[in-house]
PDB file of all heavy atoms in Angstrom:
ATOM      1  N   VAL R   1     115.689-235.510-228.191  1.00  0.00           N
ATOM      2  CA  VAL R   1     116.810-236.094-228.912  1.00  0.00           C
ATOM      3  C   VAL R   1     116.498-235.878-230.385  1.00  0.00           C
ATOM      4  O   VAL R   1     115.502-236.307-230.902  1.00  0.00           O
ATOM      5  CB  VAL R   1     116.944-237.646-228.647  1.00  0.00           C
ATOM      6  CG1 VAL R   1     118.104-238.172-229.474  1.00  0.00           C
ATOM      7  CG2 VAL R   1     117.150-237.897-227.164  1.00  0.00           C
ATOM      8  N   ALA R   2     117.474-235.151-231.071  1.00  0.00           N
ATOM      9  CA  ALA R   2     117.281-234.811-232.452  1.00  0.00           C
ATOM     10  C   ALA R   2     118.335-235.403-233.360  1.00  0.00           C
ATOM     11  O   ALA R   2     119.503-235.566-232.948  1.00  0.00           O
ATOM     12  CB  ALA R   2     117.244-233.316-232.625  1.00  0.00           C
ATOM     13  N   VAL R   3     117.916-235.806-234.537  1.00  0.00           N
ATOM     14  CA  VAL R   3     118.802-236.456-235.570  1.00  0.00           C
ATOM     15  C   VAL R   3     118.769-235.696-236.833  1.00  0.00           C
ATOM     16  O   VAL R   3     117.690-235.361-237.346  1.00  0.00           O
ATOM     17  CB  VAL R   3     118.430-237.893-235.752  1.00  0.00           C
ATOM     18  CG1 VAL R   3     119.399-238.574-236.792  1.00  0.00           C
ATOM     19  CG2 VAL R   3     118.451-238.661-234.460  1.00  0.00           C
ATOM     20  N   ASP R   4     119.956-235.372-237.451  1.00  0.00           N
ATOM     21  CA  ASP R   4     119.989-234.745-238.683  1.00  0.00           C
ATOM     22  C   ASP R   4     121.269-235.229-239.469  1.00  0.00           C
ATOM     23  O   ASP R   4     122.311-235.399-238.864  1.00  0.00           O
ATOM     24  CB  ASP R   4     120.140-233.225-238.516  1.00  0.00           C
ATOM     25  CG  ASP R   4     119.837-232.385-239.801  1.00  0.00           C
ATOM     26  OD1 ASP R   4     120.783-232.361-240.651  1.00  0.00           O
ATOM     27  OD2 ASP R   4     118.742-231.883-239.929  1.00  0.00           O
ATOM     28  N   PRO R   5     121.202-235.355-240.776  1.00  0.00           N
ATOM     29  CA  PRO R   5     122.320-235.875-241.533  1.00  0.00           C
ATOM     30  C   PRO R   5     123.413-234.860-241.757  1.00  0.00           C
ATOM     31  O   PRO R   5     124.576-235.230-242.187  1.00  0.00           O
ATOM     32  CB  PRO R   5     121.728-236.339-242.912  1.00  0.00           C
ATOM     33  CG  PRO R   5     120.502-235.520-243.022  1.00  0.00           C
ATOM     34  CD  PRO R   5     119.976-235.277-241.632  1.00  0.00           C
ATOM     35  N   ASP R   6     123.145-233.583-241.520  1.00  0.00           N
ATOM     36  CA  ASP R   6     124.102-232.502-241.773  1.00  0.00           C
ATOM     37  C   ASP R   6     124.965-232.297-240.512  1.00  0.00           C
ATOM     38  O   ASP R   6     124.533-231.741-239.559  1.00  0.00           O
ATOM     39  CB  ASP R   6     123.312-231.223-242.165  1.00  0.00           C
ATOM     40  CG  ASP R   6     124.240-230.103-242.666  1.00  0.00           C
ATOM     41  OD1 ASP R   6     125.426-230.106-242.232  1.00  0.00           O
ATOM     42  OD2 ASP R   6     123.779-229.258-243.400  1.00  0.00           O
ATOM     43  N   ALA R   7     126.247-232.730-240.639  1.00  0.00           N
ATOM     44  CA  ALA R   7     127.129-232.625-239.449  1.00  0.00           C
ATOM     45  C   ALA R   7     127.426-231.160-239.093  1.00  0.00           C
ATOM     46  O   ALA R   7     127.540-230.886-237.920  1.00  0.00           O
ATOM     47  CB  ALA R   7     128.451-233.363-239.759  1.00  0.00           C
ATOM     48  N   GLU R   8     127.555-230.262-240.115  1.00  0.00           N
ATOM     49  CA  GLU R   8     127.822-228.881-239.755  1.00  0.00           C
ATOM     50  C   GLU R   8     126.642-228.229-239.054  1.00  0.00           C
ATOM     51  O   GLU R   8     126.794-227.468-238.114  1.00  0.00           O
ATOM     52  CB  GLU R   8     128.164-228.130-241.050  1.00  0.00           C
ATOM     53  CG  GLU R   8     129.468-228.596-241.714  1.00  0.00           C
ATOM     54  CD  GLU R   8     129.780-227.670-242.902  1.00  0.00           C
ATOM     55  OE1 GLU R   8     129.003-226.726-243.241  1.00  0.00           O
ATOM     56  OE2 GLU R   8     130.841-227.913-243.541  1.00  0.00           O
ATOM     57  N   LYS R   9     125.468-228.559-239.491  1.00  0.00           N
ATOM     58  CA  LYS R   9     124.272-227.968-238.829  1.00  0.00           C
ATOM     59  C   LYS R   9     124.194-228.489-237.426  1.00  0.00           C
ATOM     60  O   LYS R   9     123.906-227.754-236.430  1.00  0.00           O
ATOM     61  CB  LYS R   9     122.984-228.370-239.618  1.00  0.00           C
ATOM     62  CG  LYS R   9     121.708-227.862-238.912  1.00  0.00           C
ATOM     63  CD  LYS R   9     120.488-228.477-239.473  1.00  0.00           C
ATOM     64  CE  LYS R   9     120.206-228.225-240.864  1.00  0.00           C
ATOM     65  NZ  LYS R   9     118.907-228.746-241.412  1.00  0.00           N
ATOM     66  N   VAL R  10     124.469-229.821-237.228  1.00  0.00           N
ATOM     67  CA  VAL R  10     124.440-230.389-235.820  1.00  0.00           C
ATOM     68  C   VAL R  10     125.434-229.681-234.914  1.00  0.00           C
ATOM     69  O   VAL R  10     125.144-229.302-233.799  1.00  0.00           O
ATOM     70  CB  VAL R  10     124.656-231.859-235.954  1.00  0.00           C
ATOM     71  CG1 VAL R  10     124.857-232.440-234.479  1.00  0.00           C
ATOM     72  CG2 VAL R  10     123.470-232.583-236.544  1.00  0.00           C
ATOM     73  N   ALA R  11     126.649-229.477-235.453  1.00  0.00           N
ATOM     74  CA  ALA R  11     127.651-228.798-234.666  1.00  0.00           C
ATOM     75  C   ALA R  11     127.228-227.343-234.284  1.00  0.00           C
ATOM     76  O   ALA R  11     127.479-226.939-233.140  1.00  0.00           O
ATOM     77  CB  ALA R  11     128.994-228.791-235.414  1.00  0.00           C
ATOM     78  N   ARG R  12     126.706-226.642-235.251  1.00  0.00           N
ATOM     79  CA  ARG R  12     126.286-225.297-235.006  1.00  0.00           C
ATOM     80  C   ARG R  12     125.133-225.240-233.961  1.00  0.00           C
ATOM     81  O   ARG R  12     125.193-224.396-233.017  1.00  0.00           O
ATOM     82  CB  ARG R  12     125.761-224.673-236.325  1.00  0.00           C
ATOM     83  CG  ARG R  12     125.397-223.214-236.218  1.00  0.00           C
ATOM     84  CD  ARG R  12     125.256-222.591-237.619  1.00  0.00           C
ATOM     85  NE  ARG R  12     124.113-223.222-238.317  1.00  0.00           N
ATOM     86  CZ  ARG R  12     124.290-224.090-239.413  1.00  0.00           C
ATOM     87  NH1 ARG R  12     125.511-224.368-239.795  1.00  0.00           N
ATOM     88  NH2 ARG R  12     123.281-224.588-240.009  1.00  0.00           N
ATOM     89  N   LEU R  13     124.185-226.166-234.048  1.00  0.00           N
ATOM     90  CA  LEU R  13     123.114-226.195-233.077  1.00  0.00           C
ATOM     91  C   LEU R  13     123.597-226.630-231.664  1.00  0.00           C
ATOM     92  O   LEU R  13     123.055-226.129-230.649  1.00  0.00           O
ATOM     93  CB  LEU R  13     122.022-227.119-233.549  1.00  0.00           C
ATOM     94  CG  LEU R  13     121.203-226.666-234.757  1.00  0.00           C
ATOM     95  CD1 LEU R  13     120.279-227.719-235.259  1.00  0.00           C
ATOM     96  CD2 LEU R  13     120.462-225.373-234.459  1.00  0.00           C
ATOM     97  N   ARG R  14     124.572-227.519-231.648  1.00  0.00           N
ATOM     98  CA  ARG R  14     125.089-227.920-230.344  1.00  0.00           C
ATOM     99  C   ARG R  14     125.672-226.721-229.610  1.00  0.00           C
ATOM    100  O   ARG R  14     125.487-226.504-228.404  1.00  0.00           O
ATOM    101  CB  ARG R  14     126.154-228.993-230.495  1.00  0.00           C
ATOM    102  CG  ARG R  14     125.597-230.407-230.823  1.00  0.00           C
ATOM    103  CD  ARG R  14     126.782-231.318-231.091  1.00  0.00           C
ATOM    104  NE  ARG R  14     126.251-232.738-231.231  1.00  0.00           N
ATOM    105  CZ  ARG R  14     126.987-233.709-231.767  1.00  0.00           C
ATOM    106  NH1 ARG R  14     128.242-233.467-232.201  1.00  0.00           N
ATOM    107  NH2 ARG R  14     126.464-234.912-231.883  1.00  0.00           N
ATOM    108  N   ASP R  15     126.445-225.885-230.402  1.00  0.00           N
ATOM    109  CA  ASP R  15     126.993-224.696-229.751  1.00  0.00           C
ATOM    110  C   ASP R  15     125.895-223.721-229.231  1.00  0.00           C
ATOM    111  O   ASP R  15     126.024-223.200-228.164  1.00  0.00           O
ATOM    112  CB  ASP R  15     127.920-224.017-230.787  1.00  0.00           C
ATOM    113  CG  ASP R  15     129.173-224.688-231.088  1.00  0.00           C
ATOM    114  OD1 ASP R  15     129.555-225.540-230.231  1.00  0.00           O
ATOM    115  OD2 ASP R  15     129.779-224.437-232.139  1.00  0.00           O
ATOM    116  N   ARG R  16     124.880-223.639-230.009  1.00  0.00           N
ATOM    117  CA  ARG R  16     123.783-222.681-229.634  1.00  0.00           C
ATOM    118  C   ARG R  16     123.064-223.134-228.406  1.00  0.00           C
ATOM    119  O   ARG R  16     122.816-222.405-227.450  1.00  0.00           O
ATOM    120  CB  ARG R  16     122.804-222.540-230.787  1.00  0.00           C
ATOM    121  CG  ARG R  16     121.822-221.356-230.613  1.00  0.00           C
ATOM    122  CD  ARG R  16     121.010-221.125-231.873  1.00  0.00           C
ATOM    123  NE  ARG R  16     119.801-221.886-231.858  1.00  0.00           N
ATOM    124  CZ  ARG R  16     119.099-222.172-232.892  1.00  0.00           C
ATOM    125  NH1 ARG R  16     119.496-221.781-234.103  1.00  0.00           N
ATOM    126  NH2 ARG R  16     117.948-222.862-232.835  1.00  0.00           N
ATOM    127  N   PHE R  17     122.803-224.471-228.342  1.00  0.00           N
ATOM    128  CA  PHE R  17     122.084-224.966-227.143  1.00  0.00           C
ATOM    129  C   PHE R  17     123.029-225.029-225.937  1.00  0.00           C
ATOM    130  O   PHE R  17     122.574-224.882-224.776  1.00  0.00           O
ATOM    131  CB  PHE R  17     121.522-226.360-227.454  1.00  0.00           C
ATOM    132  CG  PHE R  17     120.342-226.396-228.444  1.00  0.00           C
ATOM    133  CD1 PHE R  17     120.369-227.159-229.525  1.00  0.00           C
ATOM    134  CD2 PHE R  17     119.267-225.558-228.166  1.00  0.00           C
ATOM    135  CE1 PHE R  17     119.321-227.133-230.412  1.00  0.00           C
ATOM    136  CE2 PHE R  17     118.182-225.513-229.037  1.00  0.00           C
ATOM    137  CZ  PHE R  17     118.242-226.362-230.158  1.00  0.00           C
ATOM    138  N   GLN R  18     124.355-225.247-226.186  1.00  0.00           N
ATOM    139  CA  GLN R  18     125.274-225.178-225.102  1.00  0.00           C
ATOM    140  C   GLN R  18     125.292-223.809-224.463  1.00  0.00           C
ATOM    141  O   GLN R  18     125.319-223.678-223.199  1.00  0.00           O
ATOM    142  CB  GLN R  18     126.631-225.611-225.592  1.00  0.00           C
ATOM    143  CG  GLN R  18     127.808-225.600-224.541  1.00  0.00           C
ATOM    144  CD  GLN R  18     127.593-226.668-223.510  1.00  0.00           C
ATOM    145  OE1 GLN R  18     127.206-227.820-223.934  1.00  0.00           O
ATOM    146  NE2 GLN R  18     127.891-226.474-222.263  1.00  0.00           N
ATOM    147  N   GLN R  19     125.348-222.823-225.250  1.00  0.00           N
ATOM    148  CA  GLN R  19     125.337-221.433-224.713  1.00  0.00           C
ATOM    149  C   GLN R  19     124.079-221.114-223.976  1.00  0.00           C
ATOM    150  O   GLN R  19     124.072-220.239-223.070  1.00  0.00           O
ATOM    151  CB  GLN R  19     125.545-220.460-225.902  1.00  0.00           C
ATOM    152  CG  GLN R  19     126.949-220.538-226.535  1.00  0.00           C
ATOM    153  CD  GLN R  19     127.085-219.671-227.772  1.00  0.00           C
ATOM    154  OE1 GLN R  19     126.179-218.834-228.049  1.00  0.00           O
ATOM    155  NE2 GLN R  19     128.159-219.842-228.526  1.00  0.00           N
ATOM    156  N   ALA R  20     122.953-221.720-224.394  1.00  0.00           N
ATOM    157  CA  ALA R  20     121.677-221.441-223.702  1.00  0.00           C
ATOM    158  C   ALA R  20     121.532-222.316-222.445  1.00  0.00           C
ATOM    159  O   ALA R  20     120.527-222.197-221.709  1.00  0.00           O
ATOM    160  CB  ALA R  20     120.521-221.787-224.643  1.00  0.00           C
ATOM    161  N   GLY R  21     122.524-223.158-222.172  1.00  0.00           N
ATOM    162  CA  GLY R  21     122.424-224.001-220.998  1.00  0.00           C
ATOM    163  C   GLY R  21     121.511-225.175-221.101  1.00  0.00           C
ATOM    164  O   GLY R  21     121.081-225.728-220.071  1.00  0.00           O
ATOM    165  N   LEU R  22     121.160-225.495-222.361  1.00  0.00           N
ATOM    166  CA  LEU R  22     120.188-226.617-222.562  1.00  0.00           C
ATOM    167  C   LEU R  22     120.859-227.908-223.016  1.00  0.00           C
ATOM    168  O   LEU R  22     120.286-229.007-222.796  1.00  0.00           O
ATOM    169  CB  LEU R  22     119.172-226.171-223.659  1.00  0.00           C
ATOM    170  CG  LEU R  22     118.293-224.944-223.290  1.00  0.00           C
ATOM    171  CD1 LEU R  22     117.457-224.517-224.521  1.00  0.00           C
ATOM    172  CD2 LEU R  22     117.365-225.306-222.121  1.00  0.00           C
ATOM    173  N   TYR R  23     122.020-227.846-223.596  1.00  0.00           N
ATOM    174  CA  TYR R  23     122.567-229.046-224.254  1.00  0.00           C
ATOM    175  C   TYR R  23     123.070-229.991-223.118  1.00  0.00           C
ATOM    176  O   TYR R  23     123.791-229.621-222.194  1.00  0.00           O
ATOM    177  CB  TYR R  23     123.700-228.728-225.165  1.00  0.00           C
ATOM    178  CG  TYR R  23     124.055-229.913-226.043  1.00  0.00           C
ATOM    179  CD1 TYR R  23     123.256-230.237-227.136  1.00  0.00           C
ATOM    180  CD2 TYR R  23     125.135-230.741-225.777  1.00  0.00           C
ATOM    181  CE1 TYR R  23     123.507-231.385-227.933  1.00  0.00           C
ATOM    182  CE2 TYR R  23     125.421-231.859-226.516  1.00  0.00           C
ATOM    183  CZ  TYR R  23     124.597-232.144-227.613  1.00  0.00           C
ATOM    184  OH  TYR R  23     124.883-233.248-228.388  1.00  0.00           O
ATOM    185  N   GLY R  24     122.713-231.275-223.336  1.00  0.00           N
ATOM    186  CA  GLY R  24     123.114-232.249-222.344  1.00  0.00           C
ATOM    187  C   GLY R  24     122.175-232.353-221.149  1.00  0.00           C
ATOM    188  O   GLY R  24     122.151-233.395-220.438  1.00  0.00           O
ATOM    189  N   ALA R  25     121.374-231.272-220.879  1.00  0.00           N
ATOM    190  CA  ALA R  25     120.415-231.335-219.804  1.00  0.00           C
ATOM    191  C   ALA R  25     119.033-231.563-220.283  1.00  0.00           C
ATOM    192  O   ALA R  25     118.272-232.349-219.732  1.00  0.00           O
ATOM    193  CB  ALA R  25     120.484-229.958-219.096  1.00  0.00           C
ATOM    194  N   ARG R  26     118.664-230.936-221.423  1.00  0.00           N
ATOM    195  CA  ARG R  26     117.355-231.069-221.960  1.00  0.00           C
ATOM    196  C   ARG R  26     117.298-231.587-223.376  1.00  0.00           C
ATOM    197  O   ARG R  26     116.270-232.078-223.868  1.00  0.00           O
ATOM    198  CB  ARG R  26     116.552-229.765-221.889  1.00  0.00           C
ATOM    199  CG  ARG R  26     116.264-229.230-220.514  1.00  0.00           C
ATOM    200  CD  ARG R  26     115.177-230.053-219.845  1.00  0.00           C
ATOM    201  NE  ARG R  26     114.033-230.202-220.679  1.00  0.00           N
ATOM    202  CZ  ARG R  26     113.112-229.248-220.880  1.00  0.00           C
ATOM    203  NH1 ARG R  26     113.261-228.064-220.280  1.00  0.00           N
ATOM    204  NH2 ARG R  26     112.075-229.424-221.702  1.00  0.00           N
ATOM    205  N   ILE R  27     118.460-231.431-224.082  1.00  0.00           N
ATOM    206  CA  ILE R  27     118.453-231.784-225.521  1.00  0.00           C
ATOM    207  C   ILE R  27     119.777-232.426-225.874  1.00  0.00           C
ATOM    208  O   ILE R  27     120.818-232.021-225.294  1.00  0.00           O
ATOM    209  CB  ILE R  27     118.168-230.514-226.400  1.00  0.00           C
ATOM    210  CG1 ILE R  27     118.070-230.973-227.845  1.00  0.00           C
ATOM    211  CG2 ILE R  27     119.205-229.487-226.189  1.00  0.00           C
ATOM    212  CD1 ILE R  27     117.484-229.831-228.707  1.00  0.00           C
ATOM    213  N   ALA R  28     119.777-233.375-226.818  1.00  0.00           N
ATOM    214  CA  ALA R  28     120.961-233.986-227.352  1.00  0.00           C
ATOM    215  C   ALA R  28     120.813-234.079-228.882  1.00  0.00           C
ATOM    216  O   ALA R  28     119.670-234.340-229.355  1.00  0.00           O
ATOM    217  CB  ALA R  28     121.203-235.386-226.774  1.00  0.00           C
ATOM    218  N   LEU R  29     121.838-233.845-229.596  1.00  0.00           N
ATOM    219  CA  LEU R  29     121.786-233.807-231.061  1.00  0.00           C
ATOM    220  C   LEU R  29     122.750-234.898-231.646  1.00  0.00           C
ATOM    221  O   LEU R  29     123.903-235.002-231.170  1.00  0.00           O
ATOM    222  CB  LEU R  29     122.201-232.481-231.621  1.00  0.00           C
ATOM    223  CG  LEU R  29     121.323-231.289-231.126  1.00  0.00           C
ATOM    224  CD1 LEU R  29     121.881-229.984-231.692  1.00  0.00           C
ATOM    225  CD2 LEU R  29     119.854-231.396-231.566  1.00  0.00           C
ATOM    226  N   HIS R  30     122.304-235.582-232.636  1.00  0.00           N
ATOM    227  CA  HIS R  30     123.087-236.656-233.234  1.00  0.00           C
ATOM    228  C   HIS R  30     123.164-236.486-234.801  1.00  0.00           C
ATOM    229  O   HIS R  30     122.195-236.072-235.354  1.00  0.00           O
ATOM    230  CB  HIS R  30     122.561-238.058-232.920  1.00  0.00           C
ATOM    231  CG  HIS R  30     122.580-238.357-231.442  1.00  0.00           C
ATOM    232  ND1 HIS R  30     123.652-238.866-230.782  1.00  0.00           N
ATOM    233  CD2 HIS R  30     121.633-238.163-230.501  1.00  0.00           C
ATOM    234  CE1 HIS R  30     123.375-239.043-229.501  1.00  0.00           C
ATOM    235  NE2 HIS R  30     122.118-238.567-229.359  1.00  0.00           N
ATOM    236  N   VAL R  31     124.265-236.917-235.357  1.00  0.00           N
ATOM    237  CA  VAL R  31     124.376-236.954-236.851  1.00  0.00           C
ATOM    238  C   VAL R  31     123.976-238.306-237.300  1.00  0.00           C
ATOM    239  O   VAL R  31     124.531-239.281-236.815  1.00  0.00           O
ATOM    240  CB  VAL R  31     125.862-236.658-237.251  1.00  0.00           C
ATOM    241  CG1 VAL R  31     125.987-236.741-238.775  1.00  0.00           C
ATOM    242  CG2 VAL R  31     126.312-235.248-236.788  1.00  0.00           C
ATOM    243  N   GLY R  32     123.011-238.346-238.247  1.00  0.00           N
ATOM    244  CA  GLY R  32     122.546-239.654-238.727  1.00  0.00           C
ATOM    245  C   GLY R  32     121.400-239.495-239.688  1.00  0.00           C
ATOM    246  O   GLY R  32     120.887-238.361-239.880  1.00  0.00           O
ATOM    247  N   ASP R  33     120.946-240.617-240.250  1.00  0.00           N
ATOM    248  CA  ASP R  33     119.835-240.659-241.158  1.00  0.00           C
ATOM    249  C   ASP R  33     118.590-240.872-240.327  1.00  0.00           C
ATOM    250  O   ASP R  33     118.410-241.966-239.752  1.00  0.00           O
ATOM    251  CB  ASP R  33     120.052-241.727-242.156  1.00  0.00           C
ATOM    252  CG  ASP R  33     118.957-241.707-243.222  1.00  0.00           C
ATOM    253  OD1 ASP R  33     117.923-240.939-243.067  1.00  0.00           O
ATOM    254  OD2 ASP R  33     119.006-242.556-244.163  1.00  0.00           O
ATOM    255  N   PRO R  34     117.656-239.929-240.290  1.00  0.00           N
ATOM    256  CA  PRO R  34     116.371-240.143-239.528  1.00  0.00           C
ATOM    257  C   PRO R  34     115.562-241.320-239.918  1.00  0.00           C
ATOM    258  O   PRO R  34     114.920-242.000-239.146  1.00  0.00           O
ATOM    259  CB  PRO R  34     115.605-238.856-239.712  1.00  0.00           C
ATOM    260  CG  PRO R  34     116.610-237.822-240.092  1.00  0.00           C
ATOM    261  CD  PRO R  34     117.673-238.593-240.931  1.00  0.00           C
ATOM    262  N   LYS R  35     115.727-241.740-241.268  1.00  0.00           N
ATOM    263  CA  LYS R  35     114.913-242.832-241.738  1.00  0.00           C
ATOM    264  C   LYS R  35     115.397-244.162-241.247  1.00  0.00           C
ATOM    265  O   LYS R  35     114.646-245.155-241.122  1.00  0.00           O
ATOM    266  CB  LYS R  35     114.964-242.828-243.320  1.00  0.00           C
ATOM    267  CG  LYS R  35     114.405-241.577-243.934  1.00  0.00           C
ATOM    268  CD  LYS R  35     114.279-241.742-245.421  1.00  0.00           C
ATOM    269  CE  LYS R  35     115.678-241.867-246.109  1.00  0.00           C
ATOM    270  NZ  LYS R  35     116.486-240.660-245.964  1.00  0.00           N
ATOM    271  N   SER R  36     116.721-244.305-240.919  1.00  0.00           N
ATOM    272  CA  SER R  36     117.241-245.537-240.452  1.00  0.00           C
ATOM    273  C   SER R  36     117.707-245.553-239.007  1.00  0.00           C
ATOM    274  O   SER R  36     118.123-246.597-238.482  1.00  0.00           O
ATOM    275  CB  SER R  36     118.435-245.918-241.323  1.00  0.00           C
ATOM    276  OG  SER R  36     119.462-244.978-241.263  1.00  0.00           O
ATOM    277  N   CYS R  37     117.633-244.388-238.321  1.00  0.00           N
ATOM    278  CA  CYS R  37     118.072-244.297-236.964  1.00  0.00           C
ATOM    279  C   CYS R  37     117.151-245.137-236.039  1.00  0.00           C
ATOM    280  O   CYS R  37     115.898-245.056-236.166  1.00  0.00           O
ATOM    281  CB  CYS R  37     118.106-242.823-236.464  1.00  0.00           C
ATOM    282  SG  CYS R  37     118.741-242.602-234.864  1.00  0.00           S
ATOM    283  N   SER R  38     117.731-245.973-235.237  1.00  0.00           N
ATOM    284  CA  SER R  38     116.971-246.842-234.369  1.00  0.00           C
ATOM    285  C   SER R  38     117.046-246.441-232.894  1.00  0.00           C
ATOM    286  O   SER R  38     118.129-246.487-232.292  1.00  0.00           O
ATOM    287  CB  SER R  38     117.445-248.307-234.554  1.00  0.00           C
ATOM    288  OG  SER R  38     116.671-249.154-233.708  1.00  0.00           O
ATOM    289  N   PHE R  39     115.930-246.031-232.361  1.00  0.00           N
ATOM    290  CA  PHE R  39     115.871-245.579-230.955  1.00  0.00           C
ATOM    291  C   PHE R  39     115.384-246.765-230.101  1.00  0.00           C
ATOM    292  O   PHE R  39     114.817-247.761-230.629  1.00  0.00           O
ATOM    293  CB  PHE R  39     114.996-244.402-230.806  1.00  0.00           C
ATOM    294  CG  PHE R  39     115.521-243.104-231.290  1.00  0.00           C
ATOM    295  CD1 PHE R  39     115.150-242.615-232.473  1.00  0.00           C
ATOM    296  CD2 PHE R  39     116.465-242.384-230.559  1.00  0.00           C
ATOM    297  CE1 PHE R  39     115.672-241.482-232.994  1.00  0.00           C
ATOM    298  CE2 PHE R  39     117.008-241.255-230.975  1.00  0.00           C
ATOM    299  CZ  PHE R  39     116.599-240.744-232.232  1.00  0.00           C
ATOM    300  N   PRO R  40     115.599-246.719-228.812  1.00  0.00           N
ATOM    301  CA  PRO R  40     115.114-247.809-227.935  1.00  0.00           C
ATOM    302  C   PRO R  40     113.578-247.921-228.057  1.00  0.00           C
ATOM    303  O   PRO R  40     112.918-246.939-228.352  1.00  0.00           O
ATOM    304  CB  PRO R  40     115.536-247.362-226.515  1.00  0.00           C
ATOM    305  CG  PRO R  40     116.686-246.420-226.762  1.00  0.00           C
ATOM    306  CD  PRO R  40     116.373-245.712-228.012  1.00  0.00           C
ATOM    307  N   PRO R  41     113.046-249.041-227.635  1.00  0.00           N
ATOM    308  CA  PRO R  41     111.588-249.188-227.663  1.00  0.00           C
ATOM    309  C   PRO R  41     110.898-248.333-226.624  1.00  0.00           C
ATOM    310  O   PRO R  41     111.509-248.158-225.537  1.00  0.00           O
ATOM    311  CB  PRO R  41     111.350-250.675-227.424  1.00  0.00           C
ATOM    312  CG  PRO R  41     112.609-251.125-226.684  1.00  0.00           C
ATOM    313  CD  PRO R  41     113.733-250.254-227.283  1.00  0.00           C
ATOM    314  N   TYR R  42     109.755-247.793-226.917  1.00  0.00           N
ATOM    315  CA  TYR R  42     108.890-247.088-225.967  1.00  0.00           C
ATOM    316  C   TYR R  42     109.467-245.802-225.463  1.00  0.00           C
ATOM    317  O   TYR R  42     108.945-245.227-224.451  1.00  0.00           O
ATOM    318  CB  TYR R  42     108.544-247.984-224.742  1.00  0.00           C
ATOM    319  CG  TYR R  42     108.261-249.446-225.149  1.00  0.00           C
ATOM    320  CD1 TYR R  42     108.896-250.481-224.409  1.00  0.00           C
ATOM    321  CD2 TYR R  42     107.517-249.790-226.201  1.00  0.00           C
ATOM    322  CE1 TYR R  42     108.730-251.802-224.622  1.00  0.00           C
ATOM    323  CE2 TYR R  42     107.296-251.137-226.530  1.00  0.00           C
ATOM    324  CZ  TYR R  42     107.955-252.118-225.789  1.00  0.00           C
ATOM    325  OH  TYR R  42     107.714-253.446-226.104  1.00  0.00           O
TER     326      TYR R  42
END
């Protein structure tokens, strides 16, 4: 699960991983601030 503040970069990478058959199966990308993004515990 990857987080980046650049929405254009995230969209571009989503397309690339989708074409490789990886998006949604092994990787997910989100737009946000890594410093404040709160993931579930553990």
Side-chain angles (χ1 to χ4, degrees):
V1 179
V3 180
D4 193 283
D6 189 332
E8 293 185 1
K9 180 194 295 185
V10 169
R12 186 169 61 251
L13 291 174
R14 282 174 176 167
D15 289 340
R16 193 171 91 198
F17 290 126
Q18 179 69 37
Q19 293 175 9
L22 298 173
Y23 195 78
R26 294 287 311 284
I27 186 169
L29 304 175
H30 298 274
V31 178
D33 182 358
K35 299 188 295 295
S36 59
C37 186
S38 180
F39 287 102
Y42 322 132

